[in-house]
Amino acid sequence: MATTPRRPSNPKDAAEALFKPAKKVTAPVFERPVIRNAKELVSLKIDSDILAHFQTDGPGWQDRINDALRAAVNEAT
C-alpha cells in the first residue's frame, strides 16, 4: 500500500483545488397555489392630484383606486 506524502507534490495545484467553486445545490421550486382575486402589494407612482382625489373621501382610497382601475379594464375589453 502506497503512503501519501504529508505535503502535496505541487502546492499550487493543491491551493487551486481548494478555491475551485463548489457545485451549487439548487433548491426545489415550490409554486404558490393560485388564489383567485388575491390582492398583491405593489409600489405605484401616481400624480399627486390623482392621489388627493381618491384620498378626499377618507379611508378606503386604495379600494377606490382598485375599483376605478377595474372599471377601466372592463371598459377596454
Side-chain angles (χ1 to χ4, degrees):
M1 176 158 73
T3 60
T4 57
R6 286 183 63 134
R7 294 186 182 194
S9 59
N10 187 347
K12 181 182 175 189
D13 291 340
E16 286 180 355
L18 289 174
F19 288 100
K20 283 187 181 176
K23 292 183 180 179
K24 293 183 181 180
V25 178
T26 57
V29 177
F30 293 104
E31 292 188 23
R32 294 181 183 177
V34 177
I35 301 172
R36 291 183 51 102
N37 297 328
K39 297 200 176 185
E40 206 170 317
L41 180 64
V42 297
S43 177
L44 181 67
K45 290 189 175 193
I46 302 174
D47 293 337
S48 58
D49 58 329
I50 300 297
L51 183 61
H53 169 77
F54 283 100
Q55 288 180 335
T56 54
D57 292 335
W61 61 270
Q62 293 162 323
D63 291 328
R64 289 190 291 278
I65 291 175
N66 190 56
D67 294 341
L69 290 171
R70 183 173 305 282
V73 167
N74 289 339
E75 186 177 301
T77 56

Coordinates of all heavy atoms in Angstrom, one line a residue:
M1 N 0.9 -1.2 0.0 CA 0.0 0.0 0.0 C 0.9 1.2 0.0 O 1.8 1.3 0.8 CB -0.9 0.0 1.2 CG -1.8 1.2 1.3 SD -3.2 1.0 2.3 CE -2.7 0.9 3.9
A2 N 0.6 2.1 -0.9 CA 1.4 3.3 -1.0 C 1.0 4.4 0.0 O -0.2 4.5 0.3 CB 1.3 3.9 -2.4
T3 N 1.9 5.1 0.6 CA 1.6 6.1 1.5 C 1.6 7.4 0.8 O 2.4 7.7 -0.1 CB 2.6 6.2 2.7 OG1 3.9 6.4 2.1 CG2 2.6 4.8 3.4
T4 N 0.7 8.3 1.2 CA 0.6 9.6 0.6 C 1.5 10.6 1.3 O 1.6 10.5 2.6 CB -0.8 10.2 0.6 OG1 -1.3 10.2 1.9 CG2 -1.7 9.3 -0.2
P5 N 2.2 11.5 0.6 CA 3.1 12.4 1.3 C 2.3 13.4 2.2 O 1.1 13.6 2.0 CB 3.8 13.1 0.2 CG 2.9 13.0 -1.0 CD 2.2 11.7 -0.8
R6 N 2.9 13.9 3.2 CA 2.3 14.8 4.1 C 1.9 16.1 3.3 O 0.9 16.7 3.6 CB 3.2 15.2 5.3 CG 3.3 14.1 6.3 CD 4.1 14.5 7.4 NE 3.4 15.6 8.1 CZ 3.3 15.7 9.4 NH1 3.8 14.8 10.2 NH2 2.7 16.7 9.9
R7 N 2.8 16.5 2.5 CA 2.5 17.7 1.7 C 2.3 17.3 0.2 O 2.9 16.4 -0.3 CB 3.7 18.7 1.8 CG 3.9 19.2 3.1 CD 5.0 20.3 3.2 NE 5.2 20.7 4.5 CZ 5.8 21.8 4.8 NH1 6.4 22.5 3.9 NH2 5.9 22.2 6.1
P8 N 1.4 18.0 -0.4 CA 1.2 17.7 -1.8 C 2.4 18.0 -2.7 O 3.2 18.8 -2.3 CB 0.0 18.6 -2.3 CG -0.1 19.6 -1.2 CD 0.6 19.1 0.0
S9 N 2.6 17.2 -3.7 CA 3.8 17.4 -4.6 C 3.8 18.8 -5.2 O 4.9 19.3 -5.5 CB 3.9 16.3 -5.6 OG 2.7 16.3 -6.4
N10 N 2.6 19.3 -5.6 CA 2.6 20.6 -6.2 C 1.7 21.5 -5.4 O 0.4 21.4 -5.5 CB 2.1 20.5 -7.6 CG 2.2 21.8 -8.4 OD1 2.4 22.9 -7.8 ND2 2.0 21.7 -9.7
P11 N 2.2 22.4 -4.6 CA 1.4 23.2 -3.7 C 0.4 24.1 -4.5 O -0.7 24.4 -4.0 CB 2.4 24.0 -2.9 CG 3.7 23.6 -3.3 CD 3.6 22.6 -4.4
K12 N 0.8 24.6 -5.7 CA -0.1 25.4 -6.4 C -1.3 24.7 -6.8 O -2.4 25.2 -6.7 CB 0.6 25.9 -7.7 CG -0.2 26.9 -8.5 CD 0.5 27.3 -9.8 CE -0.5 28.1 -10.6 NZ 0.1 28.4 -11.9
D13 N -1.2 23.4 -7.3 CA -2.4 22.6 -7.6 C -3.3 22.4 -6.4 O -4.5 22.4 -6.5 CB -2.0 21.3 -8.3 CG -1.3 21.5 -9.6 OD1 -1.6 22.5 -10.3 OD2 -0.6 20.6 -10.1
A14 N -2.7 22.2 -5.3 CA -3.4 21.9 -4.1 C -4.2 23.2 -3.7 O -5.4 23.1 -3.3 CB -2.5 21.5 -2.9
A15 N -3.6 24.4 -3.8 CA -4.2 25.6 -3.4 C -5.4 25.9 -4.4 O -6.4 26.3 -4.0 CB -3.2 26.7 -3.4
E16 N -5.1 25.7 -5.7 CA -6.2 25.9 -6.7 C -7.4 25.0 -6.5 O -8.5 25.4 -6.7 CB -5.7 25.8 -8.1 CG -4.8 27.0 -8.5 CD -4.2 26.9 -9.9 OE1 -4.4 25.9 -10.5 OE2 -3.6 27.9 -10.3
A17 N -7.1 23.8 -6.0 CA -8.2 22.8 -5.8 C -9.1 23.3 -4.6 O -10.3 23.1 -4.6 CB -7.6 21.4 -5.5
L18 N -8.4 23.9 -3.6 CA -9.2 24.4 -2.5 C -10.1 25.6 -2.9 O -11.2 25.8 -2.3 CB -8.3 24.9 -1.4 CG -7.5 23.8 -0.6 CD1 -6.5 24.5 0.3 CD2 -8.5 22.9 0.1
F19 N -9.8 26.4 -3.9 CA -10.5 27.5 -4.3 C -11.4 27.3 -5.5 O -12.1 28.3 -5.9 CB -9.6 28.7 -4.5 CG -9.0 29.3 -3.2 CD1 -7.7 28.9 -2.9 CD2 -9.8 30.1 -2.4 CE1 -7.2 29.4 -1.7 CE2 -9.2 30.5 -1.2 CZ -7.9 30.2 -0.9
K20 N -11.5 26.1 -5.9 CA -12.5 25.8 -7.0 C -13.9 26.0 -6.5 O -14.2 25.7 -5.4 CB -12.3 24.4 -7.5 CG -11.1 24.2 -8.4 CD -11.1 22.9 -9.0 CE -9.8 22.7 -9.9 NZ -9.7 21.3 -10.4
P21 N -14.8 26.6 -7.4 CA -16.1 26.8 -6.9 C -16.8 25.5 -6.6 O -16.7 24.6 -7.4 CB -16.8 27.6 -8.0 CG -15.9 27.4 -9.2 CD -14.5 27.1 -8.7
A22 N -17.5 25.5 -5.5 CA -18.3 24.3 -5.1 C -19.5 24.2 -6.0 O -20.1 25.2 -6.5 CB -18.7 24.4 -3.7
K23 N -20.0 23.0 -6.3 CA -21.2 22.9 -7.1 C -22.4 23.4 -6.2 O -22.5 23.0 -5.1 CB -21.4 21.4 -7.4 CG -20.4 20.9 -8.4 CD -20.7 19.4 -8.8 CE -19.6 18.9 -9.7 NZ -19.9 17.5 -10.1
K24 N -23.2 24.2 -6.9 CA -24.3 24.8 -6.2 C -25.5 23.8 -6.2 O -25.8 23.2 -7.2 CB -24.8 26.1 -6.9 CG -23.8 27.2 -6.7 CD -24.3 28.5 -7.4 CE -23.2 29.5 -7.2 NZ -23.7 30.8 -7.8
V25 N -26.1 23.6 -5.1 CA -27.2 22.7 -4.9 C -28.5 23.6 -5.1 O -28.7 24.6 -4.4 CB -27.3 22.1 -3.5 CG1 -28.5 21.2 -3.4 CG2 -26.0 21.3 -3.3
T26 N -29.3 23.3 -6.1 CA -30.4 24.1 -6.4 C -31.6 23.6 -5.5 O -31.8 22.4 -5.3 CB -30.9 24.0 -7.9 OG1 -31.1 22.6 -8.2 CG2 -29.8 24.5 -8.8
A27 N -32.2 24.6 -4.9 CA -33.3 24.3 -4.0 C -34.5 23.9 -4.9 O -34.7 24.4 -6.0 CB -33.7 25.6 -3.2
P28 N -35.4 23.0 -4.4 CA -36.6 22.7 -5.2 C -37.5 23.9 -5.3 O -37.6 24.7 -4.4 CB -37.2 21.6 -4.3 CG -36.6 21.7 -2.9 CD -35.3 22.4 -3.1
V29 N -38.1 23.9 -6.5 CA -39.0 25.0 -6.8 C -40.4 24.7 -6.2 O -41.0 23.7 -6.5 CB -39.1 25.3 -8.3 CG1 -40.1 26.4 -8.6 CG2 -37.7 25.6 -8.8
F30 N -40.9 25.6 -5.4 CA -42.3 25.5 -4.9 C -43.1 26.5 -5.5 O -42.9 27.7 -5.4 CB -42.3 25.6 -3.3 CG -41.5 24.6 -2.6 CD1 -40.3 24.8 -2.1 CD2 -42.1 23.3 -2.5 CE1 -39.6 23.9 -1.4 CE2 -41.4 22.3 -1.8 CZ -40.2 22.6 -1.2
E31 N -44.2 26.1 -6.1 CA -45.1 27.0 -6.7 C -46.2 27.3 -5.7 O -46.7 26.4 -5.1 CB -45.7 26.4 -8.0 CG -44.7 26.3 -9.1 CD -45.4 25.9 -10.4 OE1 -46.6 26.1 -10.6 OE2 -44.7 25.3 -11.3
R32 N -46.5 28.6 -5.6 CA -47.6 29.0 -4.7 C -48.9 28.6 -5.3 O -49.1 28.7 -6.5 CB -47.6 30.5 -4.5 CG -46.3 31.0 -3.8 CD -46.4 32.5 -3.6 NE -45.2 33.0 -3.0 CZ -45.0 34.3 -2.8 NH1 -45.9 35.2 -3.1 NH2 -43.9 34.7 -2.2
P33 N -49.9 28.2 -4.5 CA -51.2 27.9 -5.1 C -51.8 29.2 -5.5 O -51.6 30.3 -5.0 CB -52.0 27.4 -3.9 CG -51.2 27.8 -2.7 CD -49.8 28.0 -3.1
V34 N -52.6 29.2 -6.6 CA -53.2 30.3 -7.2 C -54.5 30.6 -6.4 O -55.3 29.8 -6.2 CB -53.6 30.1 -8.6 CG1 -54.4 31.3 -9.2 CG2 -52.4 29.8 -9.5
I35 N -54.5 31.9 -5.9 CA -55.7 32.3 -5.1 C -56.4 33.3 -6.0 O -55.8 34.4 -6.3 CB -55.3 32.9 -3.8 CG1 -54.5 31.9 -2.9 CG2 -56.5 33.4 -3.0 CD1 -53.9 32.5 -1.7
R36 N -57.6 33.0 -6.3 CA -58.4 34.0 -7.2 C -58.6 35.3 -6.5 O -59.0 35.3 -5.3 CB -59.7 33.3 -7.7 CG -59.5 32.2 -8.6 CD -60.8 31.6 -9.1 NE -61.7 32.7 -9.6 CZ -61.9 32.9 -10.9 NH1 -61.3 32.2 -11.8 NH2 -62.6 33.9 -11.3
N37 N -58.5 36.4 -7.2 CA -58.8 37.7 -6.7 C -58.0 38.1 -5.5 O -58.4 38.8 -4.6 CB -60.3 37.9 -6.5 CG -61.1 37.8 -7.7 OD1 -60.6 38.1 -8.8 ND2 -62.3 37.2 -7.6
A38 N -56.8 37.5 -5.4 CA -55.9 37.8 -4.2 C -55.3 39.2 -4.5 O -54.9 39.5 -5.7 CB -54.8 36.8 -4.1
K39 N -55.2 40.0 -3.5 CA -54.6 41.3 -3.7 C -53.1 41.2 -3.5 O -52.6 40.4 -2.7 CB -55.1 42.3 -2.7 CG -56.6 42.5 -2.9 CD -57.1 43.7 -2.3 CE -58.6 43.9 -2.7 NZ -59.2 45.1 -2.3
E40 N -52.3 42.0 -4.2 CA -50.9 41.9 -4.2 C -50.3 43.3 -3.9 O -50.8 44.3 -4.3 CB -50.4 41.5 -5.6 CG -49.1 40.9 -5.6 CD -48.8 40.3 -7.0 OE1 -49.7 39.6 -7.6 OE2 -47.6 40.4 -7.4
L41 N -49.3 43.3 -3.0 CA -48.7 44.6 -2.6 C -47.8 45.0 -3.8 O -46.9 44.3 -4.2 CB -47.9 44.4 -1.4 CG -47.2 45.6 -0.8 CD1 -48.2 46.6 -0.4 CD2 -46.3 45.2 0.4
V42 N -48.0 46.3 -4.2 CA -47.2 46.9 -5.3 C -46.8 48.3 -4.9 O -47.4 48.9 -4.1 CB -47.9 46.9 -6.7 CG1 -48.2 45.5 -7.2 CG2 -49.2 47.7 -6.6
S43 N -45.8 48.8 -5.6 CA -45.4 50.2 -5.4 C -45.8 50.9 -6.7 O -45.4 50.4 -7.8 CB -43.9 50.3 -5.2 OG -43.5 51.6 -5.1
L44 N -46.5 52.0 -6.6 CA -47.0 52.6 -7.8 C -46.9 54.1 -7.7 O -47.2 54.7 -6.7 CB -48.5 52.2 -8.0 CG -49.3 52.7 -9.2 CD1 -48.7 52.1 -10.5 CD2 -50.7 52.4 -9.0
K45 N -46.4 54.7 -8.7 CA -46.2 56.2 -8.7 C -47.4 56.8 -9.4 O -47.7 56.5 -10.6 CB -44.9 56.6 -9.4 CG -43.7 56.3 -8.6 CD -42.5 56.9 -9.2 CE -41.3 56.6 -8.3 NZ -40.2 57.4 -8.6
I46 N -48.2 57.6 -8.7 CA -49.4 58.3 -9.2 C -49.2 59.8 -9.0 O -48.6 60.3 -8.0 CB -50.6 57.8 -8.4 CG1 -50.7 56.3 -8.5 CG2 -51.9 58.5 -8.9 CD1 -51.9 55.7 -7.6
D47 N -49.7 60.6 -9.9 CA -49.7 62.0 -9.8 C -50.4 62.4 -8.5 O -51.4 61.8 -8.1 CB -50.4 62.7 -11.0 CG -49.7 62.5 -12.3 OD1 -48.5 62.3 -12.2 OD2 -50.3 62.6 -13.3
S48 N -49.8 63.5 -7.8 CA -50.3 63.8 -6.5 C -51.8 64.3 -6.5 O -52.5 64.0 -5.6 CB -49.4 64.9 -5.9 OG -49.4 66.0 -6.7
D49 N -52.2 64.9 -7.6 CA -53.6 65.4 -7.6 C -54.6 64.2 -7.8 O -55.7 64.2 -7.2 CB -53.8 66.4 -8.8 CG -53.5 65.8 -10.1 OD1 -52.6 65.0 -10.2 OD2 -54.1 66.3 -11.2
I50 N -54.2 63.2 -8.5 CA -55.0 62.0 -8.6 C -55.1 61.3 -7.2 O -56.2 60.9 -6.8 CB -54.4 61.0 -9.6 CG1 -54.3 61.6 -11.0 CG2 -55.2 59.7 -9.7 CD1 -55.7 62.0 -11.6
L51 N -54.0 61.2 -6.5 CA -54.0 60.5 -5.2 C -54.8 61.3 -4.3 O -55.6 60.8 -3.5 CB -52.5 60.4 -4.7 CG -52.3 59.7 -3.4 CD1 -52.8 58.3 -3.4 CD2 -50.9 59.8 -3.0
A52 N -54.7 62.7 -4.3 CA -55.5 63.5 -3.4 C -57.0 63.3 -3.7 O -57.8 63.3 -2.8 CB -55.1 65.0 -3.6
H53 N -57.4 63.2 -5.0 CA -58.8 63.0 -5.3 C -59.3 61.7 -4.7 O -60.4 61.7 -4.1 CB -58.9 62.8 -6.9 CG -60.3 62.4 -7.3 ND1 -61.4 63.2 -7.3 CD2 -60.7 61.1 -7.7 CE1 -62.4 62.5 -7.7 NE2 -62.0 61.2 -8.0
F54 N -58.6 60.6 -4.7 CA -59.1 59.4 -4.1 C -59.0 59.4 -2.6 O -59.8 58.7 -1.9 CB -58.3 58.2 -4.7 CG -58.7 57.8 -6.0 CD1 -58.0 58.2 -7.1 CD2 -59.8 57.0 -6.3 CE1 -58.4 57.8 -8.4 CE2 -60.2 56.7 -7.5 CZ -59.5 57.1 -8.6
Q55 N -58.1 60.2 -2.0 CA -58.0 60.2 -0.5 C -58.9 61.2 0.1 O -59.1 61.2 1.3 CB -56.5 60.6 -0.2 CG -55.6 59.5 -0.4 CD -54.1 59.9 -0.1 OE1 -53.8 61.0 0.0 NE2 -53.3 58.9 0.2
T56 N -59.6 62.1 -0.7 CA -60.5 63.1 -0.1 C -61.7 62.4 0.7 O -62.2 63.0 1.7 CB -61.1 64.0 -1.1 OG1 -61.7 63.3 -2.1 CG2 -60.0 64.9 -1.7
D57 N -62.1 61.3 0.3 CA -63.3 60.6 1.0 C -62.8 59.8 2.2 O -63.6 59.1 2.8 CB -64.0 59.7 0.0 CG -64.7 60.5 -1.1 OD1 -65.0 61.7 -0.8 OD2 -65.0 60.0 -2.2
G58 N -61.5 59.8 2.5 CA -61.1 59.1 3.7 C -60.6 57.7 3.5 O -60.2 57.3 2.3
P59 N -60.7 56.9 4.5 CA -60.2 55.5 4.4 C -60.9 54.7 3.3 O -62.1 55.0 3.0 CB -60.5 54.9 5.8 CG -60.6 56.1 6.7 CD -61.1 57.2 5.9
G60 N -60.2 53.8 2.7 CA -60.7 53.0 1.6 C -60.3 53.6 0.3 O -60.8 53.1 -0.8
W61 N -59.4 54.5 0.2 CA -59.0 55.1 -1.0 C -58.3 54.1 -1.9 O -58.4 54.2 -3.1 CB -58.1 56.4 -0.8 CG -56.8 56.1 0.0 CD1 -56.7 56.2 1.3 CD2 -55.6 55.8 -0.6 NE1 -55.4 55.9 1.6 CE2 -54.7 55.7 0.5 CE3 -55.1 55.6 -1.9 CZ2 -53.3 55.3 0.3 CZ3 -53.7 55.3 -2.0 CH2 -52.9 55.2 -1.0
Q62 N -57.6 53.2 -1.3 CA -56.9 52.1 -2.1 C -57.9 51.3 -2.9 O -57.7 50.9 -4.0 CB -56.0 51.3 -1.3 CG -54.8 52.1 -0.7 CD -54.1 51.4 0.4 OE1 -54.8 50.8 1.3 NE2 -52.8 51.6 0.5
D63 N -59.0 50.9 -2.1 CA -60.1 50.2 -2.8 C -60.7 50.9 -3.9 O -61.1 50.4 -4.9 CB -61.1 49.7 -1.7 CG -60.6 48.7 -0.8 OD1 -59.7 47.9 -1.2 OD2 -61.0 48.7 0.4
R64 N -60.9 52.3 -3.7 CA -61.5 53.1 -4.7 C -60.6 53.2 -6.0 O -61.1 53.1 -7.1 CB -61.8 54.5 -4.2 CG -62.9 54.5 -3.2 CD -63.4 55.9 -2.8 NE -62.4 56.7 -2.1 CZ -62.2 56.6 -0.7 NH1 -63.0 55.7 -0.1 NH2 -61.3 57.3 -0.1
I65 N -59.3 53.2 -5.8 CA -58.4 53.2 -6.9 C -58.5 51.9 -7.6 O -58.5 51.8 -8.9 CB -56.9 53.5 -6.5 CG1 -56.8 55.0 -6.0 CG2 -55.9 53.2 -7.6 CD1 -55.4 55.3 -5.5
N66 N -58.5 50.8 -6.9 CA -58.7 49.5 -7.4 C -60.0 49.4 -8.3 O -60.0 48.8 -9.4 CB -58.6 48.4 -6.3 CG -58.5 47.0 -6.9 OD1 -57.6 46.7 -7.6 ND2 -59.4 46.1 -6.5
D67 N -61.1 49.9 -7.7 CA -62.3 49.8 -8.4 C -62.3 50.6 -9.7 O -62.8 50.2 -10.7 CB -63.5 50.3 -7.5 CG -63.7 49.4 -6.3 OD1 -63.3 48.2 -6.4 OD2 -64.3 49.9 -5.3
A68 N -61.6 51.8 -9.7 CA -61.5 52.6 -10.9 C -60.7 51.9 -11.9 O -61.0 51.9 -13.1 CB -60.9 54.0 -10.5
L69 N -59.6 51.3 -11.5 CA -58.8 50.5 -12.5 C -59.5 49.4 -13.0 O -59.4 49.1 -14.2 CB -57.5 50.1 -11.8 CG -56.5 51.2 -11.4 CD1 -55.3 50.7 -10.6 CD2 -55.9 51.8 -12.7
R70 N -60.3 48.7 -12.2 CA -61.0 47.5 -12.7 C -62.1 48.0 -13.7 O -62.3 47.3 -14.7 CB -61.7 46.8 -11.5 CG -62.5 45.5 -12.0 CD -63.0 44.7 -10.8 NE -62.0 44.3 -9.9 CZ -61.1 43.4 -10.0 NH1 -61.1 42.7 -11.1 NH2 -60.2 43.1 -9.1
A71 N -62.8 49.1 -13.4 CA -63.8 49.6 -14.4 C -63.1 50.0 -15.7 O -63.7 49.7 -16.8 CB -64.4 50.8 -13.8
A72 N -61.9 50.6 -15.6 CA -61.2 50.9 -16.9 C -60.8 49.7 -17.7 O -60.9 49.7 -18.9 CB -59.9 51.7 -16.5
V73 N -60.4 48.6 -17.0 CA -60.1 47.4 -17.7 C -61.3 46.7 -18.3 O -61.3 46.3 -19.4 CB -59.4 46.4 -16.7 CG1 -59.3 45.0 -17.3 CG2 -58.0 46.9 -16.3
N74 N -62.4 46.7 -17.5 CA -63.7 46.1 -18.1 C -64.2 46.9 -19.2 O -64.8 46.4 -20.2 CB -64.7 46.0 -17.0 CG -64.3 45.0 -16.0 OD1 -63.6 44.1 -16.2 ND2 -64.9 45.1 -14.8
E75 N -64.0 48.2 -19.2 CA -64.5 49.1 -20.3 C -63.6 48.9 -21.6 O -64.1 48.9 -22.7 CB -64.4 50.6 -19.9 CG -64.9 51.5 -20.9 CD -64.8 52.9 -20.3 OE1 -65.4 53.2 -19.2 OE2 -64.2 53.8 -21.0
A76 N -62.3 48.6 -21.4 CA -61.4 48.4 -22.5 C -61.7 47.0 -23.2 O -61.3 46.9 -24.4 CB -60.0 48.5 -22.1
T77 N -62.3 46.1 -22.5 CA -62.5 44.8 -23.1 C -63.8 44.6 -23.8 O -64.7 45.3 -23.7 CB -62.3 43.6 -22.1 OG1 -63.2 43.8 -21.0 CG2 -60.9 43.6 -21.7

